[in-house]
Amino acid sequence: MRMKRVIIVGICIVGICLASALCAAAADGPPAEAFRVLPPAAGEAPVITPYLKYQTEMAWQQDEERQKEWRAIRTEQDLLTLQKKLEEHLLAMLGGLPSERTPLHPRITGKIQMDGFRIEKLIFESLPGIYVSALVYVPEDANKTHPAILVPSGHAANGKVHYQALCQRLVQRGYVVISWDPVGQGERSQFWDAKSGKSRYNLICAEHAVLGNLAYLAGTNLARWEIWDGIRAVDYLLTRPDVDPERVNITGTSGGGFQAAHIAALDHRIKAAALSCYITALPMRVYNRIFKDPDSDPEQDLYGMISNHVDNPGLLLMMYPRPVLVGAGVLDFFPIEGTQKTVREVTELYRKFHHADRIGMAEGYHAHEYSLENQQAAMAFLDHFSGLPARQGLPAVKELEERSLQCTRTGQVMLDFGDARSLMDVIRDYYAEHKNLPAKTLKQSYYSELYPGISSWPVAEFQGGIPGRDEIRWEARGNSRFAGVTIDKYVLHHSRYLELPLLYFHKADGGRHPLLLWLGENGKSTERDWPKVIKYVDAGYDVVSLDPRGLGETRMPYKAASPDDPMLAQMDFDHAYTSPLSGVLADYVYNSLLTGSPYFLQMIEDVEIANRFLKAKVNPGTEIAITGTDTAFTLASAVSEILPNIKLLSPPDVQPDIQTIRWSEVVNQKTELWPIQYLLPGGAYIH
C-alpha cells in the first residue's frame, strides 16, 4: 500500500492557499445545504447510532449461535472436543505461535534486597533480539521450592513498575513472582526517541495501536507476541530450582487480565488463574467501548473472536478443568452484566462435570481496578490450589521509585542492546515468511460465508417503519438545482437499522448518461467537492455519491479522544474521529473485526447497496464507472475488482498507483499511521 508523497517544506503556505482556493470554488457552487441529506446533529455528544445498533445486533446473533453450540454439550468428551476446536480457532486468529523456543539468554542485571524477599532485575529474549525486561520477586524463607505466579502488566506507561504492590503481596505469601513489560510499555518502547527521551506515541495504548494495526495486515495479531512473552516467562521460571513446576499460576488485571486469560488458555503448564477486570461478554464491549474506553488496542480485538464463537466464555472454557477465578468491578467499563453472564455459563459446565469448586467470581463496588478486596479473594483462591495455608488480610508493601526498578542501563532495551529488533521488523518478517502461501483474493474475502446476499435483496420505496434485514428501501429527500444541474437526495434504508445518504447529480436534459460512482475520502461529496463533481457532469456523466456507514453524515457526533493522551484530546473533530490511535471510527473498525466482517468490506457492501438502488430506480441498464478522491481510490479500486460490470475510472492528473493504498507496501515499509478505515486483515497477501 503506497501512501501519497507529501512535501513538507512550505506546507503551511500551501495549505492556506489551497483552503482559500477551495473556499473560492465553493462560493461558485451550490450551498452546503444542497449536499446534506440527513438532519444535522443537535450537538457534539455520544449517540447510539444506527451503525452501533447494527454492530451490536450482529455480535449478539453470533453469540446466540455460540450458545446453541454449547447447549449441545452432553458429555465431558463433548466439552473436550469443543475445547480443542476453540484452541484451533484462537491459534488461527493469532496467526499461530512461534514454532521454536529459542535460547532465553537470561541475565540478572541487579538485585534489590527487601524485608523477607528480594527483587531480581531480569532481561531475557523471548525471540532472538526481542528483549523482555522483567522483575522477579523471590521469597527468602526456609522453603527450597515455591509456587510461582506470572503477573503480566496491564496498560500503564511504566509497565511492570505499576504492579509492584501486587507482586510484593504475592511474594510475601510465598510465591516466586515474575512481572514483565509488554511490548510498547515501560522499558520496551518500539518508537523511542533517544534525543527527546520519550516515545513518538504514548506508552499506554498508542504504541499497541501502531503495532497492532500493522499486524492485522500481515494476517496476525499483536497478541501473538504478547502471549509468547508470557509462555517464555513460564519457560524461564521452570529453569529456576526454587520454582515448583507443578504450581505455576497466573494473575493480571485489565490488559494484564487479557494476557493472563490467553496465556492460561494456551499454556497448560499454568495450573490456576485469577483474571481481573477483563472478562465480560464481547457484544457488550461492542456496544460501550466508544463511550467508556475509546483507545485503540488491537491485541484485544482478535479477528473473528465473536464470529468464531470463542469470546470470553471460550477462553474460560479452554482452561477447564483447571481452577479459575474472575475478579470484576461493578462500575468497570468491562460490563459487569457480561462478566456475570460469562462466568455463569462456564460455571454450569464446570458443575455439570463435578468441578464447581474450581471456578468462582469476586465482585467489588468499584471501577476499573484490581481492588484490594478482589486481590485478597484472588490470593485466597490461588493459595488454596497451591497448597499454601489460609491467611487473612494483605501484608504491607513498600513501593519503590521507577528508576530503582529499571532493568536496563538506559531505561530502554532498544537502546541497551545493539542487536535488539523492533517488533515492526518482526511483523514484516512474519509477512515475508507467509506471503508465498495460498491466500484469499479480495473477491473471495468479500463473498465469504458472512456475505449478507445483497445481490438478491429486493428494492422498493420506503413506506415507513423498520425495513427487513435483507431488503433495500429508498426514500426521496428532495432536490435542488444549480447551474443546470439537479441534485437529488435519497436515503437508502437497509439491514433494519442502517441509513445510507446518497446524492444524484444529473443534467436536466432528460437524457440517459453513463453513471459514475464518486467516492470521497470521508464520505460523499460536499460543497468543497463541487469543482471535482461538475467536471464529471460536464464530461457527460450522471454522478452518484454516498456516505458509507460511519462516515460523512452518518458519523457519530462525538470525538471520543482518549483521556490517556492529551494530544489526542486537542485534535479537531475530523482528525479525532478518524484517528487510528483512539476514536470512534477506529472502534467501529475493531468492532467489525470481532464479528468477522471487516469495515473495509462493509464499505463495499454500501457501494453494492447503492448500485442495486441505481439499477432498480435511477438509470437501469446504463454503464457504471467508479472513482475516488485521495485514498478513497483504494475503495473504488476494490469495488471494481469485486462487483461485476463496474469500471474503474482514474482521477485526472493523478497516478493511481500513488493514490492507492497497497497493504503489502504498508507492511514492507513499516508505515506507522494510515487511514484506519482501510484496515483489512491479511490484506498484505491480497495486494
Side-chain angles (χ1 to χ4, degrees):
M1 183 163 142
R2 192 178 306 155
M3 303 300 292
K4 283 197 214 179
R5 279 67 169 171
V6 178
I7 299 174
I8 303 300
V9 178
I11 192 168
C12 293
I13 296 174
V14 172
I16 291 170
C17 294
L18 180 59
S20 299
L22 286 173
C23 289
D28 295 331
E33 186 58 33
F35 297 83
R36 175 166 286 282
V37 178
L38 301 176
E44 189 174 313
V47 173
I48 307 299
T49 62
Y51 187 37
L52 188 56
K53 284 184 181 180
Y54 170 85
Q55 290 192 313
T56 304
E57 182 171 288
M58 179 183 290
W60 280 123
Q61 287 171 352
Q62 293 172 351
D63 186 70
E64 288 170 8
E65 293 167 4
R66 177 193 61 79
Q67 292 181 64
K68 182 179 179 181
E69 187 177 35
W70 281 36
R71 285 194 291 270
I73 297 173
R74 296 287 182 266
T75 67
E76 190 171 29
Q77 185 55 52
D78 291 340
L79 188 155
L80 297 177
T81 299
L82 176 59
Q83 192 179 63
K84 181 65 176 175
K85 180 180 176 181
L86 292 171
E87 181 175 322
E88 291 170 356
H89 281 318
L90 181 57
L91 287 171
M93 290 185 284
L94 293 169
L97 291 173
S99 58
E100 183 182 359
R101 283 178 160 84
T102 52
L104 289 167
H105 299 305
R107 65 203 76 181
I108 302 298
T109 63
K111 297 181 182 180
I112 301 174
Q113 188 61 50
M114 303 291 284
D115 185 12
F117 65 94
R118 67 182 183 275
I119 304 173
E120 297 178 356
K121 302 178 182 182
L122 169 70
I123 294 176
F124 66 89
E125 293 179 68
S126 59
L127 289 167
I130 302 300
Y131 291 92
V132 180
S133 43
L135 297 173
V136 183
Y137 298 75
V138 185
E140 293 183 333
D141 55 27
N143 297 318
K144 290 185 177 180
T145 62
H146 304 82
I149 190 159
L150 291 86
V151 180
S153 302
H155 291 107
N158 58 355
K160 63 191 179 307
V161 175
H162 191 75
Y163 298 92
Q164 59 172 305
L166 171 62
C167 295
Q168 287 188 31
R169 294 183 185 110
L170 287 164
V171 71
Q172 292 183 78
R173 294 175 89 97
Y175 294 93
V176 173
V177 185
I178 185 169
S179 183
W180 64 97
D181 288 322
V183 64
Q185 293 175 244
E187 297 180 70
R188 297 184 66 195
S189 169
Q190 302 296 290
F191 306 100
W192 193 260
D193 183 338
K195 187 174 181 179
S196 66
K198 62 181 183 180
S199 171
R200 295 196 293 278
Y201 308 100
N202 77 65
L203 293 177
I204 299 173
C205 291
E207 285 207 11
H208 290 187
V210 176
L211 295 163
N213 290 340
L214 197 74
Y216 281 131
L217 298 184
T220 179
N221 189 285
L222 177 60
R224 176 184 198 261
W225 290 281
E226 288 190 346
I227 294 166
W228 189 244
D229 286 343
I231 290 173
R232 299 315 312 275
V234 176
D235 290 343
Y236 168 74
L237 287 174
L238 296 184
T239 68
R240 297 182 62 107
D242 53 358
V243 168
D244 181 350
E246 296 303 316
R247 293 186 292 168
V248 177
N249 310 298
I250 195 167
T251 189
T253 189
S254 187
F258 163 83
Q259 293 174 67
H262 288 74
I263 294 165
L266 292 171
D267 193 331
H268 289 254
R269 295 174 298 178
I270 292 174
K271 305 304 180 183
L275 315 171
S276 165
C277 291
Y278 167 67
I279 296 297
T280 187
L282 286 181
M284 293 186 182
R285 286 290 287 147
V286 165
Y287 194 69
N288 86 332
R289 67 189 303 164
I290 292 172
F291 314 118
K292 296 292 187 180
D293 184 34
D295 289 282
S296 296
D297 208 8
E299 76 270 22
Q300 296 199 15
D301 297 303
L302 296 180
Y303 179 36
M305 191 69 173
I306 300 176
S307 58
N308 283 326
H309 301 170
V310 180
D311 201 335
N312 286 186
L315 290 176
L316 295 185
L317 195 66
M318 288 172 67
M319 300 177 205
Y320 174 89
R322 291 172 287 160
V324 57
L325 179 81
V326 174
V330 300
L331 305 178
D332 197 356
F333 50 71
F334 286 95
I336 188 65
E337 297 85 356
T339 313
Q340 294 164 339
K341 173 181 179 296
T342 294
V343 173
R344 188 165 56 246
E345 287 180 21
V346 181
T347 299
E348 181 57 34
L349 288 173
Y350 267 72
R351 182 184 295 113
K352 187 171 188 174
F353 302 112
H354 314 296
H355 295 301
D357 62 321
R358 297 186 184 182
I359 186 167
M361 182 174 172
E363 300 173 63
Y365 189 78
H366 53 76
H368 188 70
E369 62 172 310
Y370 205 164
S371 65
L372 292 179
E373 59 191 301
N374 282 1
Q375 285 186 40
Q376 187 161 334
M379 291 177 195
F381 183 85
L382 294 169
D383 287 351
H384 172 72
F385 288 101
S386 296
L388 295 179
R391 306 187 189 197
Q392 295 296 321
L394 297 173
V397 300
K398 180 183 178 181
E399 295 203 37
L400 305 177
E401 292 183 358
E402 183 174 341
R403 187 169 181 81
S404 66
L405 293 174
Q406 187 174 291
C407 299
T408 57
R409 178 182 55 83
T410 63
Q412 290 296 324
V413 296
M414 297 290 286
L415 300 182
D416 263 31
F417 299 98
D419 63 341
R421 303 190 66 219
S422 165
L423 203 67
M424 297 286 275
D425 290 326
V426 174
I427 293 168
R428 181 182 61 184
D429 290 350
Y430 179 95
Y431 163 64
E433 291 167 9
H434 294 81
K435 68 180 181 181
N436 293 323
L437 298 176
K440 282 185 178 180
T441 65
L442 195 56
K443 195 168 187 176
Q444 288 171 333
S445 298
Y446 184 72
Y447 292 112
S448 72
E449 64 277 3
L450 292 177
Y451 172 65
I454 296 166
S455 59
S456 61
W457 287 4
V459 181
E461 187 171 2
F462 182 64
Q463 300 295 334
I466 298 175
R469 186 176 296 162
D470 304 326
E471 62 182 14
I472 302 165
R473 295 289 179 259
W474 60 266
E475 178 185 4
R477 288 285 180 94
N479 57 48
S480 61
R481 293 178 176 82
F482 186 86
V485 176
T486 299
I487 308 174
D488 292 328
K489 304 178 183 183
Y490 293 95
V491 175
L492 308 185
H493 302 266
H494 66 95
S495 308
R496 285 186 58 78
Y497 303 113
L498 297 183
E499 296 178 334
L500 194 160
L502 181 145
L503 297 174
Y504 173 43
F505 302 84
H506 57 98
K507 288 280 182 74
D509 57 12
R512 288 174 58 118
H513 304 97
L515 288 172
L516 175 67
L517 288 163
W518 187 97
L519 305 177
E521 192 167 31
N522 294 305
K524 63 176 168 38
S525 58
T526 66
E527 68 275 14
R528 290 175 297 178
D529 301 308
W530 174 254
K532 299 174 185 176
V533 172
I534 194 62
K535 285 182 180 179
Y536 288 111
V537 175
D538 289 341
Y541 287 98
D542 288 351
V543 177
V544 175
S545 190
L546 59 105
D547 280 331
R549 58 196 75 178
L551 289 176
E553 292 186 66
T554 68
R555 295 187 302 180
M556 181 185 294
Y558 181 51
K559 216 161 145 177
S562 166
D564 296 329
D565 193 330
M567 295 299 294
L568 295 175
Q570 293 171 15
M571 290 191 297
D572 62 79
F573 178 85
D574 289 342
H575 287 92
Y577 186 86
T578 59
S579 169
L581 302 181
S582 171
V584 175
L585 187 59
D587 282 338
Y588 278 153
V589 169
Y590 299 137
N591 282 347
S592 75
L593 298 182
L594 288 171
T595 56
S597 179
Y599 179 78
F600 181 75
L601 299 183
Q602 290 186 33
M603 288 197 292
I604 297 173
E605 289 179 13
D606 287 333
V607 176
E608 184 177 8
I609 288 166
N611 189 40
R612 295 270 299 130
F613 162 71
L614 295 174
K615 288 181 176 179
K617 163 67 179 170
V618 174
N619 209 340
T622 60
E623 177 187 337
I624 297 180
I626 191 168
T627 192
T629 64
D630 303 308
T631 56
F633 192 75
T634 301
L635 178 59
S637 177
V639 169
S640 70
E641 187 174 337
I642 293 172
L643 302 182
N645 304 316
I646 296 182
K647 178 183 176 182
L648 183 64
L649 187 66
S650 298
D653 306 320
V654 173
Q655 292 178 280
D657 65 329
I658 292 177
Q659 194 148 3
T660 303
I661 295 176
R662 299 189 182 278
W663 297 298
S664 58
E665 292 188 15
V666 170
V667 176
N668 279 323
Q669 295 174 8
K670 300 182 294 184
T671 306
E672 295 175 16
L673 299 176
W674 37 277
I676 191 69
Q677 61 266 41
Y678 301 119
L679 191 159
L680 182 66
Y685 305 103
I686 293 173
H687 290 144

